[in-house]
Amino acid sequence: MLMCGRYSVSKKKVPQEHRFSSKLEGLVFEPNFDARPSQKLPVIIPDAEKAIMATWASPEKEPDGKPTFPFNVRQENLLRIPRFRALLPHHRCIIPIDGFFEWKELEEDLEEPAPAPQPDLGLDLFGNPIRSKEEKSRSKKAKPQKQKYRFTLKNEEPFGLAGLWRESLLPDTGELVSCFSIITTQANSAVMPYHDRMPVILSPQSENIWMDNRLQERQWYNVLQPYDSHKMRVMAIDEYESVLGNYVAPALNSK
C-alpha cells in the first residue's frame, strides 16, 4: 500500500513570521491541495538562501526495473542502499507542507441482499450457462469504499518532512533537473490506524540538525523518528472538497 502519496502546500498558509517564510519568498508556485508524484513542488535544501522547485520522484529506472528515485524512501534503506547513502551527506532536504493524506477502507455495515432467481437463458456455443447482465455486473468485484483522512499538526502550522534531493541530466535534452523523495518511518499511534508507515516530520530543532552539513551521519540519522502523536491532528474529510482546499467533514459535503 502506498504511503504519503498526497500532501498539500500553500504559501498563503505560511505566516510571515514562520521559519519557512523567507525560504519561500519570491518562489512562484500555485497552492496545491493534492500534491502528487511527478509534480514540481517547493523544496528547502542546505546552504541555499531560497527554496527550489523540484519534481517529486524521478521516472528513471534501475537495471532491475525499480525506480532510481522513488517518491518514498524508507528510513531503514538510507544506509543499506548505496544510491541513497551516497546522497545523505550533501543532498538532504526539507519538504514544506501543511498536511498529508491517507485513505482507509470502510467496513461494510449491511449485508447484501440475496440475489433474485435468474431465468434460465440456456447455454452458449461452448456449453457454458448464459449469464444475464445482472449476474455479470454482480460478479465483478466492487471496489471497496475508502475514507480520506488529513494529518496536520494540532497548531495548524506548516511543517517540514525529511527528504533527499538530487540533480540529474535529462538524456534527451541535456537539461539539468532537480527531484526529491520523502523519507518514511514507522507510524506513530496517530497514524497507525490508517497506515503502518508515516513521513518523517521534523521539529524545528531536528530541522536544524538535518540541514547541518557539518554534522556526522549518525546525527542526521537520529532525527528520523516517528513524530510525537500528541502534537498531531487527524480528521476525516470529503475527498472532492479537499482537492479544492476545503477540508470539510464528509457529512457536510454538498456536491
Side-chain angles (χ1 to χ4, degrees):
M1 184 162 41
L2 300 180
M3 171 66 235
C4 192
R6 298 285 192 277
Y7 67 81
S8 58
V9 57
S10 172
K11 195 156 57 171
K12 294 179 180 179
K13 293 193 175 185
V14 182
Q16 191 64 36
E17 64 277 9
H18 194 276
R19 62 190 180 280
F20 293 162
S21 179
S22 61
K23 293 289 186 182
L24 298 175
E25 186 179 359
L27 198 66
V28 178
F29 65 95
E30 293 295 322
N32 194 329
F33 306 110
D34 190 43
R36 59 183 65 193
S38 79
Q39 294 182 339
K40 281 194 172 184
L41 299 156
V43 171
I44 299 170
I45 61 177
D47 302 325
E49 185 179 347
K50 300 294 182 183
I52 64 170
M53 296 298 289
T55 302
W56 187 3
S58 168
E60 300 168 331
K61 301 288 185 181
E62 292 292 312
D64 61 4
K66 294 181 179 179
T68 300
F69 213 53
F71 68 93
N72 284 168
V73 176
R74 285 175 170 258
Q75 168 208 349
E76 51 269 36
N77 288 341
L78 287 176
L79 303 182
R80 187 177 66 84
I81 298 178
R83 67 179 182 274
F84 298 143
R85 186 163 192 164
L87 291 171
L88 197 56
H90 299 288
H91 287 82
R92 303 174 313 285
C93 67
I94 294 173
I95 300 98
I97 75 172
D98 49 58
F100 65 91
F101 306 103
E102 285 297 335
W103 287 258
K104 184 178 181 180
E105 291 185 7
L106 298 176
E107 296 182 1
E108 295 292 339
D109 295 329
L110 300 176
E111 294 185 3
E112 292 187 5
Q118 298 295 315
D120 184 2
L121 300 179
L123 303 178
D124 62 18
L125 295 176
F126 301 97
N128 299 313
I130 298 174
R131 296 186 301 166
S132 66
K133 289 183 179 180
E134 291 78 7
E135 283 183 299
K136 290 179 181 179
S137 176
R138 200 166 49 245
S139 67
K140 291 181 180 179
K141 186 177 180 180
K143 291 184 178 179
Q145 285 193 324
K146 294 185 178 182
Q147 174 60 56
K148 190 174 185 179
Y149 293 87
R150 176 169 168 81
F151 298 80
T152 64
L153 300 189
K154 278 187 177 178
N155 60 16
E156 295 293 332
E157 285 193 2
F159 54 99
L161 305 182
L164 293 177
W165 75 286
R166 73 167 195 188
E167 292 179 320
S168 59
L169 289 173
L170 295 179
D172 296 335
T173 64
E175 179 187 1
L176 186 66
V177 296
S178 299
C179 55
F180 71 93
S181 183
I182 293 172
I183 298 171
T184 68
T185 188
Q186 293 180 346
N188 61 19
S189 59
V191 180
M192 182 59 76
Y194 312 93
H195 205 289
D196 60 357
R197 307 285 299 181
M198 68 179 293
V200 173
I201 300 173
L202 298 171
S203 68
Q205 293 75 24
S206 58
E207 285 175 5
N208 293 332
I209 296 173
W210 182 243
M211 299 292 274
D212 192 341
N213 281 334
R214 298 167 298 178
L215 301 179
Q216 297 179 347
E217 182 179 89
R218 176 176 54 83
Q219 293 168 289
W220 300 322
Y221 195 77
N222 284 346
V223 305
L224 304 177
Q225 304 290 335
Y227 197 70
D228 185 351
S229 61
H230 296 98
K231 296 181 179 179
M232 293 184 65
R233 180 187 181 202
V234 186
M235 62 180 294
I237 57 174
D238 178 82
E239 175 95 41
Y240 176 81
E241 294 287 348
S242 71
V243 176
L244 305 176
N246 304 321
Y247 305 117
V248 299
L252 301 180
N253 177 29
S254 59
K255 68 178 183 290

